[in-house]
Amino acid sequence: TEDGWIRSIRVTDLKFMWIRMEHDGEVMTPDGNFHVDTSAYVLDLTLLEGNDKRMRTGKLSLVPASDYTVDSVIKDMSGKEVVKYSEIGAIQGQSFDKKVVWLQKTCKTLGVPWEEGHMRICVRRENLLSDSIKAVMSLGRDDMQKIWRFEFMGEPGIDAGGLAKEWFLLVTKAIFDADSGLWLSSSGNQMLMRINPASEVSCPDDHLIYFRFLGRVLGKALFEGQIVSGHMVQYLYKYMLGWPITFNDLESVDQDIYENLKKLLEMKPDDIECMCLDFTASQHLLGETVQVNLVPGGEDLAVTGENLSEYLKVYFKFLMLERIKPQITELLLGFYDVIPESLLTVFDYQELELMMCGLPSIDMADWAKHTKYAGTFEGNKGKNNPCKWFWEIVTNEFDQEMRARLLQFVSGTSGVPSRGFSVLQGSDGNIKLFTLNGIDTKISAYPRSHTCFNRLDLPMYKSKSDLREKLTIAVTTCATGFTLE
C-alpha cells in the first residue's frame, strides 16, 4: 500500500497477512500503541450462522493490520477448493486487464450451471426498489451464484443481458439517492456517497435490510461483470477488500476534524490539558447535535498529553466505523454472500472502483480547457515542454483505463462530474480545478498527487520519454506507494 503495508503469506497456515516494511527493508514489529504515522487497521468480519439459514450474521471490528488474515484459496459454496494459493499469487502481479479476465473466469467456475438451477426475478418498474428487495432478500446464499434472469412485469422483452444491465443501474441509482436517507453525498466530493450515520432516523422502515440488499447487489454485479450507478467514498472499497486504513483516511471523512486532531500532536502536553477536551465526540443527527462517549464514562475523562494517543485512536475508530457499524456490517454480509473474500485479494481499492463503476468517458478537451497551472508552469500558462508532453501522452497514448487511473490519482475517484471538469471539487466541497504544478526534479523524481486540491506536481523532465515512464509508474502504482498527500 502507499503506507508501506505489503500482503504476504503466513507460512504456518498459508493465509494472507499484512506486514509493514521499514525504509531499511526490515519488517516493522508493532508495539501495541497507536501511532498516527504508522498504525493501520483492517476491517475484520467474523461470520456467524443466523436464526434464518438464508442470512448469516457477523461481528465487525477494526483490528491491527498485522493481526488480520484471510484464506489464500478460493472455495465454492459447498466448500470445495477451486483456486489454489499458487494461482492467486501468480495473478496478483499481473495487469489490471488480465486480473479482470481471471476474475470473470473464476466467477464462471464458481457459478451454478443453468440446468442445475437459475432464478427469475420479476419486478414492477413503478415499485422497482421494494419489489427488488423482496425478491433478492427471499433468496438463500446458495442462490447468489446462480444465473439471474430479470423481467419487468407488463413489459415485453426477454432478458438476454440488457434487462440485467438496466436493473443493476436502476436499483443502485435508487438506493444511492440521497433522498432515500440511507446515503449522503460526501462533504468533500458530491459524486462520492457515504453512509448516513442517521439512516435509522431518516429511513425508519428497517434501514439495515437496504444495506444487506445493496451488499448482495454489489457482489452480484461484480460476479456477473455488471456496472453499478454510484461511486462510494474510498475507504469503503478498502473495507470490502480487507485493505489497511490509516489515520490519513480520516481526511476523506471529515477534513476539519482531521486537521484539528493533527494540531494536537504539535502541542505541548500541558497545553493539551488547557484545551479542556474529554473522551466524547459530537454527532449531528437531523439538525440536532448529540454528544457520544468514545469510551465508557468518556465525559468525565480529560484528554492529557499522556492519553492523547488513546484519544486519537478511539476518535479515529468512532469516525471510521463505530457510528456506522450496523450499516457496514450488513453491507459486507450481503457482499460476502456472493463474493468469497479471498477472491478479491488480487485487486487494490482503485481497481475495485473501476470494476464496479466502469471506466468513465473522459472528454480530454474539457479536461485540458479547465486546467490551472502553478509553480514553474504558471508564467507560461502550460506552454512549457513538460505540459505539452503531458497532454500529448494523456490524450494520444493513454487508453481509457489509464486516463481513469490518472483521474483517481489526482482526485481520489474515477468519477467525472456530470457538468465536466469546470465543477471538479476539492476535499472542502468547493470547486478546485485540476492543477498542473511544475516542480524541480530535485524535489521529486516522480509526479506527486494532492487529492484534496486535485493537484498534480509534475517535475520538469528533460524528455518526453522520461515523463511518460515516470507518469506511468506513478499512476499505475498509486495505491501501492505514490499517492503523496
Side-chain angles (χ1 to χ4, degrees):
T1 74
E2 63 266 38
D3 304 295
W5 290 89
I6 298 171
R7 201 187 287 277
S8 184
I9 193 79
R10 193 164 65 183
V11 295
T12 54
D13 56 8
L14 293 182
K15 286 194 172 187
F16 285 126
M17 60 180 292
W18 290 102
I19 59 174
R20 189 178 191 276
M21 303 298 293
E22 299 285 16
H23 294 299
D24 58 5
E26 294 293 319
V27 176
M28 183 194 77
T29 303
D31 60 8
N33 296 318
F34 180 74
H35 302 280
V36 168
D37 295 328
T38 60
S39 292
Y41 295 85
V42 174
L43 202 63
D44 183 45
L45 178 63
T46 302
L47 296 171
L48 306 168
E49 291 300 323
N51 295 326
D52 186 338
K53 289 184 178 180
R54 295 171 300 177
M55 302 286 176
R56 292 182 297 186
T57 61
K59 184 179 179 182
L60 197 64
S61 60
L62 278 174
V63 300
S66 56
D67 293 344
Y68 174 81
T69 62
V70 64
D71 287 340
S72 61
V73 298
I74 299 170
K75 300 177 180 178
D76 62 17
M77 288 290 186
S78 68
K80 178 185 175 184
E81 187 177 301
V82 295
V83 179
K84 297 183 181 296
Y85 154 70
S86 56
E87 183 177 335
I88 297 177
I91 200 67
Q92 283 177 340
Q94 298 295 317
S95 68
F96 176 60
D97 286 341
K98 288 183 178 179
K99 287 193 279 189
V100 171
V101 170
W102 173 84
L103 176 69
Q104 293 169 341
K105 173 188 151 196
T106 306
C107 287
K108 191 171 182 179
T109 302
L110 291 168
V112 178
W114 174 271
E115 59 274 10
E116 293 182 19
H118 49 273
M119 309 307 300
R120 183 178 172 214
I121 296 179
C122 301
V123 296
R124 296 165 295 176
R125 194 175 289 272
E126 64 273 17
N127 297 93
L128 176 69
L129 192 54
S130 59
D131 284 358
S132 297
I133 290 175
K134 288 176 183 176
V136 171
M137 297 313 295
S138 69
L139 304 179
R141 285 185 54 240
D142 55 350
D143 297 320
M144 293 295 105
Q145 294 179 351
K146 293 178 180 177
I147 296 171
W148 292 4
R149 286 290 179 261
F150 297 90
E151 178 183 333
F152 287 92
M153 295 171 65
E155 299 181 19
I158 298 174
D159 186 11
L163 294 182
K165 179 180 179 181
E166 183 181 14
W167 182 83
F168 279 105
L169 288 171
L170 289 177
V171 294
T172 49
K173 181 180 180 181
I175 211 161
F176 278 125
D177 189 335
D179 290 339
S180 72
L182 300 167
W183 293 79
L184 300 171
S185 295
S186 169
S187 57
N189 190 325
Q190 296 297 307
M191 290 187 301
L192 300 180
M193 304 306 295
R194 61 184 176 92
I195 294 173
N196 181 7
S199 62
E200 184 176 12
V201 180
S202 302
C203 185
D205 297 334
D206 194 5
H207 67 125
L208 294 181
I209 199 73
Y210 289 90
F211 289 97
R212 176 77 70 110
F213 165 75
L214 178 61
R216 285 186 163 190
V217 170
L218 295 179
K220 186 62 174 174
L222 194 60
F223 194 83
E224 300 291 347
Q226 296 286 355
I227 302 301
V228 300
S229 178
H231 294 257
M232 297 183 293
V233 287
Q234 195 174 78
Y235 69 89
L236 289 179
Y237 294 112
K238 293 185 178 183
Y239 284 166
M240 296 166 83
L241 290 177
W243 194 272
I245 62 165
T246 67
F247 189 77
N248 288 334
D249 284 290
L250 203 56
E251 188 173 17
S252 66
V253 178
D254 193 312
Q255 187 182 11
D256 290 337
I257 291 179
Y258 170 77
E259 295 292 348
N260 288 335
L261 292 177
K262 281 185 67 176
K263 288 177 182 177
L264 292 176
L265 292 167
E266 302 167 3
M267 298 174 63
K268 297 178 180 178
D270 291 343
D271 293 338
I272 292 174
E273 293 187 42
C274 295
M275 297 291 291
C276 298
L277 297 171
D278 55 32
F279 276 67
T280 63
S282 298
Q283 187 165 344
H284 303 288
L285 302 175
L286 298 179
E288 184 180 346
T289 301
V290 179
Q291 209 73 0
V292 180
N293 279 334
L294 298 175
V295 297
E299 72 275 13
D300 299 320
L301 181 60
V303 178
T304 66
E306 290 184 357
N307 64 21
L308 176 62
S309 175
E310 180 66 17
Y311 173 71
L312 293 175
K313 180 175 76 172
V314 294
Y315 211 133
F316 167 76
K317 287 189 172 184
F318 169 73
L319 290 176
M320 297 302 296
L321 176 61
E322 295 303 327
R323 61 178 181 165
I324 50 174
K325 192 172 187 176
Q327 296 95 321
I328 292 183
T329 300
E330 293 300 317
L331 181 73
L332 292 183
L333 283 170
F335 187 72
Y336 294 143
D337 276 347
V338 190
I339 300 291
E341 190 175 358
S342 52
L343 180 63
L344 298 181
T345 54
V346 305
F347 297 101
D348 64 48
Y349 56 89
Q350 293 177 323
E351 291 171 333
L352 181 60
E353 181 188 20
L354 291 178
M355 286 191 296
M356 297 183 75
C357 301
L359 294 172
S361 176
I362 298 176
D363 184 337
M364 290 308 304
D366 181 61
W367 192 351
K369 178 181 178 182
H370 296 104
T371 292
K372 289 176 60 179
Y373 296 92
T376 54
F377 298 153
E378 187 171 9
N380 293 322
K381 299 297 181 184
K383 294 181 180 179
N384 312 62
N385 279 335
C387 285
K388 293 179 182 178
W389 296 333
F390 171 84
W391 289 116
E392 287 172 4
I393 291 167
V394 176
T395 302
N396 302 324
E397 300 181 30
F398 275 12
D399 58 14
Q400 197 175 11
E401 179 204 331
M402 281 297 294
R403 292 175 188 170
R405 283 181 171 272
L406 173 63
L407 186 56
Q408 283 181 321
F409 184 56
V410 296
S411 72
T413 177
S414 61
V416 180
S418 58
R419 289 185 289 152
F421 286 89
S422 65
V423 292
L424 196 64
Q425 290 181 316
S427 61
D428 59 0
N430 295 318
I431 292 177
K432 292 263 193 319
L433 296 181
F434 171 66
T435 301
L436 269 179
N437 180 49
I439 62 173
D440 195 293
T441 52
K442 294 178 182 178
I443 297 175
S444 175
Y446 291 89
R448 304 185 306 187
S449 68
H450 300 268
T451 56
C452 287
F453 312 107
N454 299 325
R455 191 180 85 213
L456 180 68
D457 290 346
L458 190 66
M460 296 291 289
Y461 296 113
K462 300 296 184 184
S463 70
K464 185 176 181 180
S465 60
D466 197 21
L467 191 155
R468 181 191 301 109
E469 177 191 356
K470 298 295 197 305
L471 180 64
T472 300
I473 291 173
V475 169
T476 54
T477 59
C478 59
T480 54
F482 280 92
T483 303
L484 303 178
E485 188 57 73

